[in-house]
Amino acid sequence: MNHDRYEDAYIRGILDEVKTIAVVGASANTVRPSYFVVKYLISKGYDVVPVNPGQAGKKIAGVMTAASLADIDRPVDMVDIFRNSDAAKGVVEEALRLNPLPKVIWMQLSVRNDEAARLAEAKGVKVVMNRCPKIEYARLCGEIGWAGVASNVISARKPKLQQGFQRFGINRQQKP
Amino acid sequence: MSDRQPGFSTLAIHAGAAPDAATGARATPIYQTTAFAFDDVDQAAALFGLQAFGNIYTRITNPTTAVLEERVAALEGGTAALAVASGHAAQLGVFHTLLRPGDEFIASNKLYGGSINQFNHSFKSFGWNVVWVDMADEEALKRAVSDKTRAIFTESLANPGGVVTDIEMVAKVARAAGVPLIVDNTLATPYLCRPIEYGADIVVHSLTKFMGGHGNSMGGIIVDGGTFDWIASGRYPMLSEPRPEYQGMVLAETFGNFAFAIACRVLGLRDLGAAISPFNAFLIATGIETLPLRMQKHCDNALAVAQWLEAHDKVEWVRYAGLKSDACHGLAQKYLPKGAGAVFTFGVKGGYEAGVKLVSSTGLLSHVANIGDAKSLIIHPASTTHRQLTDAQKTAAGAGPEVVRLSIGIEDVADIIADLEQALAEI
């Protein structure tokens, strides 16, 4: 797996497949990226579990925070890591002890640990590194263009409106 | 589409413009509205807090304008863009984000006359101090750098002198100084030159010119190259310090490699207010769809006219980087291989009076202060665009008394030459 560049189809497939996302290092501070990634993913319909021992038992963006991955009471499809690159390995090892295994390990922008990625991939777990799921979702669905940001996506297919007028879904209008 | 990288002409037509999500309209709809209804209070709060993507008010964002922004960002190879009311507004937005009172920036002394005015007068009243240099003189450029320098500004292809900047050389000096390089790419357009590929960090345009291409809409744009590390530098507090109005958010941390464009929008455009009309954004975005075709025709016509003028006995000199005889021809072959643009100057024998007579005698070429129209345009800078400058500044900017500026359009080139021939006969 080449982790320098991901095909859009790979990222779209992951964001379309996963339902429950644990965000390790989620913050209660509302101006931190690790807060509004949680908030954005909730608004897109994901079942998000913030993981932060300092906030355990309290809510972040309206949902209950777990102290650790092992404390989550339901299967987790994706583990999103807001820790530095060195600390990411320990989080990945913890994630790989979950039963059932998560389908995806995702490390945030600027977070990359190739050794940890190899451990996950050896167990059949997909890996994304140095990317933000909020940016990737907004890029692939088209919302990011509203802020003048280049999506690097061109398409003759309609974006999919979600509830309201200012929310797009990840999948565009399907081929008939 | 698959993950293959689309070509320039495909991006000019498609970038930013999927079918409208609400109606399926295939052309970009003109969202001629001031405000956008919120889905609910929570969404409104998320939008005001910069936590979600979406539209609040057309002074800040608009879906029609967004198509233009994404299109130009894609064509320039940038991460994001911000469209504003004019090229001047783009420059104001850039420097408002970068400078504090007492700071300096280095600018080429061969700029569009309007930029020279803006930097010399309005910017100085804000305490933003311009230091003029000849960008072709690498040592002079290095000497101009001080501990107050916060940016270097140049045009890729200068208006009206036709001087081509050695962008890689200037970018190297900017990197060594730890400041961003801003390139005004109005005359070249990304079809001819993409400054970010040569080390520019920020690109600005007057979209009023070749990008829109039809002389019908004012507009400007700021393109973020995504290349400058605002946090490591620490010299740009608008980006690297917590913002009180956004509850302490640090924009460079939150928005990463498109933070500069976001800062220009949510601080500069929000407070300075020079928003582009959605209708203008629509016209310019539509114009850009044919940019590759138009720009090539502009360049081909300009070269033919320049060669014809060079052989004319009433013409003292022609300054067009597309001519083999031109001092900038070597740089043009490197930076502008498809053509040296369509704006150039020539010296008419007989000085100021002959220049005035010539612009009064054309019948097809329009005597206007614009450039980059589909129509061919002519002007005598010393009596018009550059008349507010001193004689020394006029000469330094390539706008001496005998200078006539042409912006060659996309008419039949034989008709453009015939009109110049009869007008030169009147002198």
Side-chain angles (χ1 to χ4, degrees):
Chain A
M1 182 80 201
N2 174 11
H3 290 289
D4 294 323
R5 183 177 173 279
Y6 300 106
E7 298 237 327
D8 285 352
Y10 176 71
I11 300 289
R12 191 189 297 277
I14 286 171
L15 293 174
D16 193 33
E17 173 191 14
V18 303
K19 302 279 182 275
T20 302
I21 302 175
V23 178
V24 179
S27 174
N29 180 343
T30 59
V31 299
R32 300 289 304 166
S34 51
Y35 170 85
F36 47 76
V37 165
V38 170
K39 182 161 174 160
Y40 184 79
L41 294 175
I42 292 169
S43 80
K44 292 300 169 193
Y46 294 103
D47 171 20
V48 180
V49 188
V51 179
N52 180 340
Q55 295 291 323
K58 298 180 196 160
K59 287 184 172 178
I60 291 177
V63 295
M64 195 56 74
T65 305
S68 69
L69 287 172
D71 283 349
I72 298 173
D73 61 0
R74 52 200 184 277
V76 170
D77 298 321
M78 174 167 128
V79 176
D80 180 23
I81 303 173
F82 268 100
R83 302 288 302 278
N84 67 42
S85 296
D86 291 337
K89 191 183 169 202
V91 179
V92 171
E93 287 169 341
E94 202 183 331
L96 295 178
R97 287 195 291 270
L98 293 174
N99 183 21
L101 277 175
K103 300 183 179 84
V104 180
I105 300 282
W106 187 302
M107 302 182 207
Q108 280 287 336
L109 266 180
S110 82
V111 184
R112 178 163 177 162
N113 189 317
D114 287 87
E115 196 188 337
R118 278 191 293 276
L119 293 177
E121 285 169 337
K123 293 201 168 192
V125 176
K126 290 178 192 163
V127 175
V128 176
M129 297 190 285
N130 191 26
R131 292 286 187 281
C132 171
K134 178 186 176 190
I135 290 175
E136 293 303 306
Y137 194 110
R139 195 175 70 73
L140 294 171
C141 78
E143 287 180 1
I144 207 164
W146 289 331
V149 179
S151 65
N152 299 317
V153 173
I154 65 172
S155 177
R157 306 217 163 262
K158 266 199 322 179
K160 183 179 162 192
L161 270 179
Q162 292 184 323
Q163 187 188 13
F165 280 101
Q166 301 223 28
R167 290 183 180 130
F168 287 164
I170 189 76
N171 282 311
R172 287 172 188 258
Q173 165 203 33
Q174 298 296 302
K175 291 175 188 173
Chain B
M1 268 183 76
S2 68
D3 275 46
R4 66 177 304 246
Q5 177 57 33
F8 189 90
S9 296
T10 304
L11 289 174
I13 293 164
H14 287 275
D20 184 54
T23 64
R26 190 61 192 95
T28 295
I30 304 166
Y31 286 96
Q32 191 71 26
T33 179
T34 52
F36 297 84
F38 300 119
D39 290 337
D40 50 52
V41 172
D42 190 48
Q43 184 229 10
L47 289 176
F48 278 105
L50 307 181
Q51 295 170 349
F53 300 102
N55 301 289
I56 298 173
Y57 195 56
T58 286
R59 175 154 48 80
I60 316 287
T61 65
N62 176 281
T64 307
T65 304
V67 171
L68 172 64
E69 291 166 338
E70 193 176 345
R71 183 163 295 169
V72 177
L75 293 176
E76 285 287 5
T79 53
L82 171 65
V84 290
S86 68
H88 264 36
Q91 289 171 182
L92 176 62
V94 165
F95 286 107
H96 172 260
T97 303
L98 296 178
L99 302 186
R100 287 178 298 177
D103 285 345
E104 291 176 3
F105 66 102
I106 298 169
S108 165
N109 62 3
K110 295 179 186 61
L111 296 182
Y112 161 52
S115 295
I116 294 174
N117 273 336
Q118 186 187 39
F119 296 175
N120 261 342
H121 302 296
S122 291
F123 280 15
K124 279 189 180 160
S125 76
F126 298 156
W128 306 342
N129 298 314
V130 62
V131 176
W132 299 108
V133 300
D134 175 358
M135 282 292 160
D137 185 342
E138 184 172 355
E139 292 311 311
L141 176 58
K142 286 178 178 167
R143 280 196 305 274
V145 174
S146 81
D147 59 1
K148 293 180 179 170
T149 305
R150 292 293 175 270
I152 297 178
F153 183 96
T154 190
E155 293 175 0
S156 49
L157 176 60
N159 171 21
V163 175
V164 182
T165 299
D166 186 348
I167 301 171
E168 277 185 336
M169 179 274 280
V170 178
K172 205 173 75 191
V173 176
R175 260 196 306 281
V179 301
L181 170 61
I182 306 155
V183 175
D184 179 342
N185 201 32
T186 298
L187 258 65
T189 81
Y191 173 72
L192 297 177
C193 176
R194 289 159 41 110
I196 293 165
E197 290 175 357
Y198 296 106
D201 300 292
I202 297 162
V203 171
V204 293
H205 280 275
S206 166
L207 298 172
T208 312
K209 313 297 180 342
F210 295 99
M211 294 291 269
H214 298 80
N216 57 18
S217 305
M218 304 298 291
I221 204 158
I222 300 163
V223 182
D224 187 345
T227 44
F228 197 83
D229 189 335
W230 306 104
I231 290 179
S233 162
R235 292 163 151 184
Y236 304 93
M238 297 267 276
L239 287 136
S240 63
E241 298 294 321
R243 291 303 307 181
E245 68 272 66
Y246 294 111
Q247 293 80 47
M249 180 182 282
V250 176
L251 296 178
E253 177 190 83
T254 303
F255 295 103
N257 69 356
F258 51 88
F260 182 76
I262 297 287
C264 289
R265 183 186 303 279
V266 304
L267 304 176
L269 186 58
R270 182 200 62 178
D271 290 353
L272 301 172
I276 189 173
S277 152
F279 185 59
N280 283 18
F282 167 80
L283 288 171
I284 294 167
T286 303
I288 289 172
E289 294 188 4
T290 56
L291 176 69
L293 297 171
R294 287 187 291 102
M295 223 36 219
Q296 194 59 60
K297 176 81 167 168
H298 276 295
C299 290
D300 294 349
N301 280 359
L303 180 59
V305 173
Q307 286 170 336
W308 180 83
L309 283 170
E310 199 174 30
H312 197 285
D313 61 6
K314 287 189 182 172
V315 173
E316 201 142 5
W317 52 263
V318 179
R319 190 88 173 80
Y320 180 57
L323 292 173
K324 288 194 175 69
S325 58
D326 194 85
C328 285
H329 189 64
L331 284 172
Q333 284 188 306
K334 174 175 177 178
Y335 290 104
L336 307 158
K338 292 199 282 284
V343 175
F344 68 91
T345 52
F346 66 97
V348 62
K349 288 180 183 166
Y352 190 93
E353 296 306 322
V356 169
K357 180 73 178 163
L358 179 66
V359 298
S360 309
S361 304
T362 56
L364 180 69
L365 276 74
S366 307
H367 181 208
V368 301
N370 192 24
I371 54 168
D373 197 315
K375 304 173 187 73
S376 290
L377 314 174
I378 188 167
I379 201 161
H380 180 229
S383 61
T384 54
T385 51
H386 286 62
R387 71 178 302 142
Q388 287 151 304
L389 305 184
T390 65
D391 286 348
Q393 284 175 328
K394 281 178 189 160
T395 302
E402 82 287 14
V403 177
V404 174
R405 183 185 76 187
L406 296 175
S407 173
I408 298 300
I410 55 177
E411 302 99 335
D412 289 292
V413 70
D415 295 329
I416 301 170
I417 289 172
D419 191 43
L420 284 169
E421 187 164 33
Q422 66 78 25
L424 281 165
E426 295 290 318
I427 296 171

